[in-house]
Amino acid sequence: MGSSGDAQEARVRLPQLRLDELLDELQARLDSARGTRDRVHSLLEAVLSVGRELDLEQALNSIVEAAATLVDAEYAALGVIGPDGRRLSAFHTVGVSPEQIARIGPYPEGHGILGELIRHPAPLRLTKLSEHPASYGFPDHHPPMNTFLGVPIRVRDQIFGNLYLTEKRGGLQFDEDDESVLSTLAVAAGVAIDNARLYEESRLRERWLQANAEITHSLMSGTVQGGVLGLIAERAREITGAALAVVAVPMTDTDSLTVELAIGEEAEVLRGLVLPVHGTLLGQAYTGGVPVTTPDAARDERISGGQPRFTGLGPAGAVPIGSDDRVRGVVLLVRAAGAHPFSGQEMEQLQVFAAQAAVAMELAERRQDAEQIALLEDRDRIARDLHDLAIQRLFATGMTLQSAGRFIEHTEAKERVLRAVDDLDETIKIIRSTIFGLRSRGDDTAPGLRTRAVRVVGEAAPLLGFAPSVRMEGLLDTHVPRETADHVVAVLSEALTNIARHAHADRAEVVLETDGKEVRLTVTDDGVGLPADGRRSGLANMTERARRLGGDLALVAPGSGGTRVVWHAPVGGPPDRSRS
């Protein structure tokens, strides 16, 4: 009995044990299903959260935050691949504080494991980062990282960037489920990024259209061209996020461009600068009629036509204002150092904006021409009426009075009539002079001071062995009278000739400016300076020219060596010497 009872008890325990195992297994599967359900729910929430963002920067931040949450990673980053397809141009991080980022230094460009994912855009899981052959190591102050999971983000079959996750919490390893979830998020991220880009492009197009409408309205309202060029530069700078905007226009009868205006950082360095068309960035855009870019304006000699003149500025782009038939000028935009370069799409939009602005300027000029023609026709009509009606009637009245004078016996009355006849003759002369003035078009084809000065500098370049830099400011052609301009041109020629003969200089700078009261010419070189026993005949001639106009000449020795000649004279002409 005992043995049969034990056997029966064993048979009862065996099913009980199997049932417990089955229940445990069922519970585990239920937990796994619940975990999978929760993870799918979290994934859906992350996809919805990412898809709601229309601002690109916000969308990228949401993506990297969602990725860290989904796979329970301590550190996460999203690296945006630059236009060259080999380096990272932007980096968005989670888990690293701003203080840590400042201590670590610049963001990575895509070396080591990060570069591996750029070169081979496929999911990558590592149990220990340092053991991978492509491991590049970490910079100082970088937090330790071992486990790694990376997946690429594609936008319309193009690799936009990569998601990098490190240090799964709890000391665990990233598994296949993590890779699957992150790959799914990357697909949703690609759609969200594409939507944000499209939204950003539409907003950008809207801003360009608004700017063009503003410029057209300004032109049609009668704003002068200088004000319109300033508006073009300011709106282009705002929309592109540039630190500096420059507008250069061609000079009459010369192969040079003059910087009409400059707005923003380092504007004073370029304002009024005269640049040759050949060998400069602005000249290349002007002659070619196509956009031109440079990655670093601070080190590009084509920007200022010589040695770099400023620091703190970086990528730059120049576009022509107008079409191939007629280029009216060039717009140069420069971003701050470290900013992203101008993309092809940005330059295309900027060129369309500049071309539309040129069309508006053309229409405004046509309207001004029509108004001018109407004004001239009206002046001709007035002159004709004065000649055919007023003068004839005055002449007839004078003849009548002169004839009547013979019949006047009173001496005083006769003299008054004759004086009236003389007054009528003078009136007729005045009207004839007025008619001549009305019919005169006032055309003056003689070149202005700006053009003449540029020509002198250009003629001196072969003698010097280099092209001097030129900067002009003020209304030189308007405020400086012809006689004074002749003296300025002669002094400039003499100063450059002296540099070529005696200075042994490698560089020279010409600054010509006026404030409406005085014209000032400054010529600086880096040569050997003025010898104590050297001939002074040329300087004496320049001094005499200045004093003849009521001005003077000064010689300065700059701290960097060489000579600076400062010649100035009032623009009102020579003083009245009769009082002295």
Side-chain angles (χ1 to χ4, degrees), residues 68-89:
T69 302
L70 283 175
V71 300
D72 202 21
E74 186 173 354
Y75 305 106
L78 192 158
V80 180
I81 299 176
D84 61 0
R86 298 189 298 272
R87 297 182 180 181
L88 299 175
S89 62

Side-chain angles (χ1 to χ4, degrees), residues 51-330:
R52 281 194 293 264
E53 295 292 348
L54 287 177
D55 180 82
L56 183 58
E57 291 298 313
Q58 290 294 333
L60 297 178
N61 290 330
S62 297
I63 291 167
V64 71
E65 290 172 0
T69 302
L70 283 175
V71 300
D72 202 21
E74 186 173 354
Y75 305 106
L78 192 158
V80 180
I81 299 176
D84 61 0
R86 298 189 298 272
R87 297 182 180 181
L88 299 175
S89 62
F91 217 68
H92 300 262
T93 61
V94 166
V96 184
S97 67
E99 292 77 16
Q100 287 178 297
I101 294 174
R103 287 196 300 269
I104 294 171
Y107 283 118
E109 295 183 354
H111 303 291
I113 298 297
L114 305 187
E116 182 72 14
L117 214 59
I118 296 174
R119 293 185 293 272
H120 306 287
L124 177 65
R125 270 189 297 131
L126 301 174
T127 58
K128 195 170 183 59
L129 271 168
S130 59
E131 295 178 354
H132 193 278
S135 179
Y136 197 79
F138 295 110
D140 295 337
H141 309 294
H142 197 286
M145 296 180 180
N146 293 300
T147 56
F148 175 85
L149 173 59
V151 297
I153 298 176
R154 287 180 170 83
V155 178
R156 295 190 180 187
D157 297 328
Q158 292 185 349
I159 303 300
F160 173 83
N162 298 305
L163 279 170
Y164 307 108
L165 288 302
T166 60
E167 293 303 288
K168 188 175 178 69
R169 298 183 187 277
L172 302 176
Q173 297 288 330
F174 293 109
D175 54 23
E176 292 182 1
D177 289 342
D178 294 325
E179 182 179 321
S180 177
V181 167
L182 201 60
S183 297
T184 304
L185 178 65
V187 173
V191 176
I193 291 169
D194 194 28
N195 289 337
R197 274 179 165 180
L198 292 174
Y199 177 74
E200 191 175 78
E201 289 172 6
S202 66
R203 290 293 303 274
L204 194 59
R205 281 194 296 269
E206 182 182 354
R207 294 185 67 186
W208 283 122
L209 290 173
Q210 289 176 348
N212 268 310
E214 185 179 0
I215 290 167
T216 302
H217 179 268
S218 178
L219 281 166
M220 295 305 154
S221 300
T223 304
V224 296
Q225 178 169 312
V228 175
L229 292 176
L231 187 59
I232 291 172
E234 187 61 42
R235 293 296 174 265
R237 186 172 76 98
E238 290 174 357
I239 295 173
T240 60
L244 171 68
V246 173
V247 176
V249 296
M251 297 189 67
T252 307
D253 299 331
T254 67
D255 287 335
S256 302
L257 298 169
T258 179
V259 176
E260 185 79 7
L261 60 91
I263 303 172
E265 296 181 15
E266 302 288 347
E268 291 295 332
V269 177
L270 291 173
R271 192 175 293 131
L273 192 67
V274 177
L275 301 171
V277 168
H278 302 290
T280 60
L281 191 78
L282 290 167
Q284 189 175 345
Y286 175 75
T287 56
V290 295
V292 182
T293 61
T294 178
D296 190 356
R299 294 181 175 86
D300 196 328
E301 295 183 359
R302 297 177 300 166
I303 294 293
S304 57
Q307 294 297 322
R309 292 170 172 260
F310 43 70
T311 57
L313 296 176
V319 296
I321 303 175
S323 60
D324 296 338
D325 298 335
R326 185 181 181 187
V327 178
R328 297 173 171 273
V330 182

